[in-house]
């Protein structure tokens, strides 16, 4: 895992110990529009399908859960594999 932490529009995009990106940080960087929250994206069938595919894809060699939601604590948020974070960013602003 690289020590590089991305910054988008002046917003630090937190990364967890597994290298997953914080979707809440991406949402904040995009302007924080309510209907573009990570929970709205996660509820879509196409997103659920993508997550299932990543969970079953040995070629991806994830070795981790592709999505991890943390409620409370020091670093709360929804953390997602890079491919999911890219998909979410494209959904926010195609």
């Amino acid at each position: 895992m690289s020590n590089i932490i991305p910054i988008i529009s002046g917003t630090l995009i937190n990364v967890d110990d597994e290298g997953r990106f914080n979707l809440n940080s991406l949402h904040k960087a995009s302007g924080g529009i309510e209907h573009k929250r990570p929970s709205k994206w996660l509820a879509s069938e196409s997103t659920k399908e993508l997550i299932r595919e990543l969970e079953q894809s040995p070629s991806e060699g994830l070795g981790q859960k592709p999505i991890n939601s943390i409620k409370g604590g020091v670093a709360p948020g929804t953390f997602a594999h890079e491919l999911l974070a890219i998909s979410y960013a494209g959904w926010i602003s195609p």
Side-chain angles (χ1 to χ4, degrees), residues 67-87:
I67 195 107
N68 186 33
S69 292
I70 300 171
K71 297 181 188 215
V74 178
T78 300
F79 292 84
H81 180 273
E82 181 178 7
L83 293 174
L84 292 172
I86 290 168
S87 178

Side-chain angles (χ1 to χ4, degrees), residues 33-71:
I33 300 168
E34 179 64 28
H35 71 276
K36 294 292 185 169
R37 297 183 60 76
S39 60
K40 304 286 186 184
W41 178 73
L42 287 166
S44 78
E45 192 54 43
S46 61
T47 300
K48 292 175 186 177
E49 191 174 309
L50 179 56
I51 291 169
R52 281 192 300 272
E53 186 65 32
L54 284 173
E55 288 173 334
Q56 297 173 7
S57 177
S59 64
E60 220 23 75
L62 295 180
Q64 66 181 11
K65 294 187 331 185
I67 195 107
N68 186 33
S69 292
I70 300 171
K71 297 181 188 215

